[in-house]
Amino acid sequence: MANIKEIARMAGVSVTTVSRVLNNHPYVSEVKRTAVLNTIEKLNYTRNMNAVHLITGRTQAIAVIIPYTNLFYFSVIIAGLAQEALLAQYRLVLCQTDYRTEEEIKVLEMLRNKEIDGVVMVSSTMSSEAIEEYTAYGPIVVCQDRGERQFSSVYIEHYSAFRSGLQYLNDKGYRHIGYCEGRPHGSSSSIRQIAFRDFLEATDQPYNDEWMIYNCLTEEDGARVLHQLLQMKNRPDALIISAGDHIAAGLIIEAWKKGIRIPEDLAVIGFDDQPIGRTLGLTTVDNQLTEMGISAFRIIYDQIQRNDGQPVHRKLEYRIIERNTV
Amino acid sequence: MANIKEIARMAGVSVTTVSRVLNNHPYVSEVKRTAVLNTIEKLNYTRNMNAVHLITGRTQAIAVIIPYTNLFYFSVIIAGLAQEALLAQYRLVLCQTDYRTEEEIKVLEMLRNKEIDGVVMVSSTMSSEAIEEYTAYGPIVVCQDRGERQFSSVYIEHYSAFRSGLQYLNDKGYRHIGYCEGRPHGSSSSIRQIAFRDFLEATDQPYNDEWMIYNCLTEEDGARVLHQLLQMKNRPDALIISAGDHIAAGLIIEAWKKGIRIPEDLAVIGFDDQPIGRTLGLTTVDNQLTEMGISAFRIIYDQIQRNDGQPVHRKLEYRIIERNTV
């Protein structure tokens, strides 16, 4: 295989010019570009892109740190990222971490090792300080509210989004509110638990341990919650389901089967504005997941182009979509 | 930054040994490994992984060609791939193509350019001949039945899986079967359309154009189908919904709202064994999507290790899961 030096010699241009042509760099005259391309064609030169990356310091790839890929929340963010990446002709390196910190660190090491141009951390178990140590090596965007850090962020305020859902139930007259959460120890989950306690205190409602239901991940978990409720002596009159509309869907379907009326016997508000929720007429808090993926990509892409390391912090707005389950 | 030559000189070893240490190659003596690592630490040497890849010819990355990421079918296959990639310490480069052939070709060019070690094509618009031209550059696995090609494949037989669903409805006494499909021109969609016509002919049922419903992608499309059925003078007594259980879910929920009894007024069989279907008691054809992702990764990983280019063809079994909607 011919190398870049040979191509430069045969085309009568500098090595820099060849590498510019290989990378579609704008500052190459048409004459030189044509000379290089003709030479390459003559030699049937196959680029070793690792050589190109080595020369340019750019890989046109961004790593995405994501705990799981097949939960609605994550798959919609990925879709937003992927849509923008396609437009910008960037690759997404998908790093499913299963919430293991050592896997996240490996991905950040890829940034240090120049294998990628940036990292989007959709959800991370690492401390903000630990993440900041890697901002020297390239742009990082975290899809969580971590304050004004040295890395960029795009986020919704989970505390106020969750409290607005609770306030909505309260305004509609519900005073016995239960709460279904996903993983108990996630960072946004912890914030919502604080919001829940603050809300109960502010509205003078007692805390009932039985009404805090964790590990709701799938539709079937939603059905299980309904059965749990049926066995309680003292039932809530409303449920806030932070872990997603699909869990609310499982619960509502099971309620229909059992003759429990929604919202008369039990009001339900979900999160995420999923298609299944629209079909069910589910009231929900829309936290703009597609927009989160799109924004995360645009922020990191701009940072790569600017190359100034200046972090950006973007807050997305949530909104309550009123339908028929509250 | 120190380069590999300097490290080799300072550690008193060959350049080959340094590159072996950088790549965790087993055939390096402990003494030499320690010497290299100490030198690296002394120099605070940051690897440029593109240089490492250039030397080794391996990237520990596999590209995944996928039209969309947020449809259940695709997100479950990605999850299977991601699970195995994590175990094998490989990266997945996610290439969302929106079914555009030119985007698929760009990804295969990455294989030619040695940016990745292999390509998994979850769904492809390219001809088998065009794909075969790239097998010279590295392993390719297609998640479609393309026959005994030079690239590997892992697949379910869409023709017989679909016919078995139809046969099941037929055996239960349904003689007026409607059919909901996703994209009309997908490759597996075309195969199912042939299977449908063959089945009608074999069982002496008339073809009814009105009962072929295309572009069913979301839960809301399922609800729309129910309304379409209600407006027909002559309705089917059963529906086969190849595009996934989530569409069947939208339809069933809408049917409940309208007082249409399932299966008495309308029998429904779905595909994919999704969680929402389990909650609804939906009869379905399970076509093992997670297994497809897992198998695709294992096949390509083995091929990379063996480095012999020998393609593997693996057929996955489907099965009908009987519940309450037929």
Side-chain angles (χ1 to χ4, degrees):
Chain A
M1 191 207 298
N3 66 26
I4 289 184
K5 270 190 190 166
E6 281 178 68
I7 294 167
R9 191 179 45 75
M10 287 181 65
V13 300
S14 70
V15 168
T16 312
T17 302
V18 176
S19 88
R20 283 186 173 172
V21 171
L22 288 176
N23 292 290
N24 293 315
H25 195 290
Y27 303 122
V28 181
S29 74
E30 217 30 65
V31 175
K32 284 185 179 175
R33 189 184 298 278
T34 309
V36 170
L37 292 176
N38 286 344
T39 308
I40 286 172
E41 209 179 309
K42 224 183 292 172
L43 291 168
N44 193 16
Y45 172 72
T46 298
R47 287 191 298 179
N48 183 320
M49 284 305 295
N50 296 305
V52 175
H53 298 161
L54 195 55
I55 295 162
T56 62
R58 286 274 176 86
T59 61
Q60 304 278 110
I62 284 170
V64 180
I65 290 180
I66 202 145
Y68 311 107
T69 52
N70 58 342
L71 289 183
F72 183 87
Y73 182 92
F74 295 126
S75 75
V76 173
I77 294 174
I78 293 176
L81 283 163
Q83 173 193 318
E84 290 299 301
L86 178 56
L87 289 176
Q89 291 293 305
Y90 253 75
R91 302 290 164 210
L92 295 183
V93 181
L94 193 71
C95 305
Q96 179 165 319
T97 57
D98 220 354
Y99 280 116
R100 288 192 235 156
T101 308
E102 72 270 23
E103 293 299 328
E104 295 183 28
I105 290 171
K106 279 181 199 159
V107 179
L108 291 172
E109 285 293 323
M110 290 171 69
L111 185 64
R112 193 217 288 261
N113 295 334
K114 302 181 197 308
E115 290 176 89
I116 45 176
D117 295 347
V119 179
V120 174
M121 307 181 85
V122 177
S123 182
S124 169
T125 61
M126 288 174 69
S127 73
S128 297
E129 289 72 21
I131 296 171
E132 277 178 335
E133 285 187 21
Y134 285 91
T135 54
Y137 306 110
I140 299 172
V141 176
V142 177
C143 298
Q144 291 171 327
D145 182 9
R146 299 265 193 149
E148 300 273 318
R149 290 287 178 171
Q150 284 169 40
F151 49 81
S152 295
S153 59
V154 51
Y155 59 93
I156 61 149
E157 290 178 312
H158 288 294
Y159 184 95
S160 52
F162 192 66
R163 277 211 63 166
S164 80
L166 288 167
Q167 195 57 47
Y168 180 77
L169 290 174
N170 187 74
D171 293 348
K172 293 281 182 179
Y174 299 97
R175 291 288 181 280
H176 304 86
I177 301 175
Y179 166 20
C180 296
E181 181 55 79
R183 292 161 15 93
H185 306 300
S187 66
S188 53
S189 156
S190 307
I191 291 166
R192 284 188 293 262
Q193 288 165 46
I194 294 166
F196 190 58
R197 297 220 181 214
D198 288 355
F199 167 80
L200 292 182
E201 230 178 83
T203 55
D204 241 353
Q205 296 182 38
Y207 174 78
N208 186 335
D209 205 45
E210 205 183 19
W211 294 355
M212 292 280 291
I213 304 174
Y214 291 105
N215 295 311
C216 298
L217 298 171
T218 69
E219 288 83 343
E220 289 166 295
D221 292 327
R224 166 180 60 80
V225 168
L226 196 273
H227 287 275
Q228 260 175 269
L229 294 183
L230 290 182
Q231 280 166 10
M232 290 178 190
K233 277 195 188 133
N234 185 15
R235 289 184 208 164
D237 57 8
L239 268 187
I240 186 161
I241 302 185
S242 65
D245 285 351
H246 60 297
I247 290 144
L251 179 134
I252 290 171
I253 289 165
E254 204 62 21
W256 287 358
K257 287 187 198 164
K258 299 288 172 193
I260 307 291
R261 295 166 307 159
I262 310 279
E264 294 82 356
D265 302 328
L266 180 70
V268 179
I269 186 166
F271 274 76
D272 293 354
D273 189 27
Q274 297 181 21
I276 189 71
R278 293 197 278 275
T279 309
L280 285 166
L282 176 64
T283 299
T284 192
V285 182
D286 176 12
N287 47 21
Q288 299 210 61
L289 299 177
T290 308
E291 185 55 34
M292 188 173 289
I294 291 172
S295 285
F297 185 87
R298 290 192 182 158
I299 289 171
I300 207 157
Y301 182 77
D302 284 349
Q303 272 194 272
I304 293 165
Q305 303 307 316
R306 281 190 284 111
N307 202 21
D308 66 357
Q310 204 55 43
V312 173
H313 305 285
R314 188 167 301 156
K315 186 175 82 175
L316 299 177
E317 297 303 325
Y318 55 84
R319 60 184 180 130
I320 290 177
I321 299 176
E322 299 193 75
R323 296 196 189 106
N324 319 317
T325 59
V326 174
Chain B
M1 190 206 299
N3 67 24
I4 289 184
K5 268 189 190 166
E6 282 178 67
I7 293 167
R9 190 179 46 77
M10 287 181 65
V13 301
S14 70
V15 168
T16 312
T17 302
V18 176
S19 90
R20 280 184 175 173
V21 172
L22 288 176
N23 291 290
N24 293 314
H25 194 289
Y27 303 121
V28 182
S29 75
E30 218 31 63
V31 175
K32 285 185 180 176
R33 187 182 299 279
T34 309
V36 170
L37 291 176
N38 287 345
T39 308
I40 287 172
E41 210 179 310
K42 221 181 297 172
L43 291 167
N44 192 17
Y45 172 74
T46 298
R47 288 191 297 179
N48 184 318
M49 283 304 295
N50 296 305
V52 175
H53 298 160
L54 194 57
I55 294 163
T56 61
R58 285 273 177 85
T59 62
Q60 304 279 111
I62 285 171
V64 180
I65 290 179
I66 202 143
Y68 311 108
T69 52
N70 58 341
L71 289 182
F72 183 87
Y73 183 92
F74 296 125
S75 75
V76 173
I77 294 174
I78 292 176
L81 283 162
Q83 174 192 320
E84 290 299 301
L86 177 57
L87 289 175
Q89 291 292 304
Y90 253 75
R91 303 287 164 212
L92 295 184
V93 181
L94 194 70
C95 305
Q96 180 164 318
T97 57
D98 220 356
Y99 280 117
R100 286 192 237 156
T101 308
E102 72 271 23
E103 293 299 329
E104 296 183 27
I105 289 171
K106 280 181 198 159
V107 179
L108 291 172
E109 285 291 324
M110 289 170 69
L111 185 65
R112 194 218 287 258
N113 295 336
K114 302 183 198 305
E115 290 177 89
I116 44 175
D117 294 348
V119 179
V120 174
M121 308 181 85
V122 177
S123 182
S124 169
T125 61
M126 288 175 67
S127 73
S128 297
E129 290 71 20
I131 297 171
E132 276 178 335
E133 285 188 20
Y134 285 91
T135 55
Y137 306 110
I140 299 171
V141 177
V142 177
C143 298
Q144 292 171 326
D145 182 10
R146 299 267 193 145
E148 301 272 318
R149 290 287 177 169
Q150 285 169 39
F151 49 81
S152 294
S153 59
V154 51
Y155 59 93
I156 62 149
E157 291 177 313
H158 288 293
Y159 184 95
S160 53
F162 192 67
R163 276 211 63 166
S164 79
L166 289 167
Q167 194 57 47
Y168 179 78
L169 291 173
N170 188 73
D171 293 348
K172 294 282 182 178
Y174 299 97
R175 291 290 179 280
H176 304 86
I177 301 174
Y179 166 19
C180 296
E181 181 56 79
R183 292 162 16 94
H185 306 300
S187 66
S188 53
S189 155
S190 307
I191 291 165
R192 285 190 292 263
Q193 288 166 45
I194 295 166
F196 190 59
R197 297 223 181 211
D198 288 356
F199 167 80
L200 293 182
E201 228 178 84
T203 55
D204 242 352
Q205 295 182 37
Y207 173 79
N208 186 336
D209 205 43
E210 204 184 19
W211 294 356
M212 293 280 291
I213 304 174
Y214 291 105
N215 296 311
C216 299
L217 297 172
T218 69
E219 287 84 344
E220 289 166 295
D221 292 328
R224 167 182 56 85
V225 169
L226 196 272
H227 287 274
Q228 259 176 270
L229 294 182
L230 290 181
Q231 280 166 8
M232 291 179 190
K233 277 194 187 134
N234 185 16
R235 289 184 208 163
D237 57 7
L239 268 188
I240 187 161
I241 302 185
S242 65
D245 285 352
H246 59 298
I247 291 144
L251 180 133
I252 289 170
I253 288 165
E254 205 61 23
W256 287 359
K257 287 188 199 165
K258 299 287 171 194
I260 307 292
R261 296 166 306 159
I262 309 279
E264 294 82 356
D265 301 328
L266 180 70
V268 179
I269 186 166
F271 275 76
D272 294 353
D273 189 26
Q274 298 181 20
I276 188 70
R278 293 199 278 278
T279 309
L280 285 167
L282 176 65
T283 299
T284 191
V285 182
D286 175 13
N287 48 20
Q288 301 209 61
L289 299 178
T290 308
E291 185 56 34
M292 188 172 287
I294 291 172
S295 285
F297 186 87
R298 289 191 182 158
I299 289 171
I300 207 157
Y301 182 77
D302 285 349
Q303 272 193 271
I304 292 166
Q305 303 307 316
R306 281 190 283 108
N307 202 17
D308 67 356
Q310 203 58 41
V312 173
H313 305 284
R314 188 167 301 156
K315 186 176 83 177
L316 299 177
E317 297 304 325
Y318 55 85
R319 63 187 178 125
I320 290 176
I321 299 176
E322 299 192 74
R323 296 196 189 107
N324 319 317
T325 58
V326 174

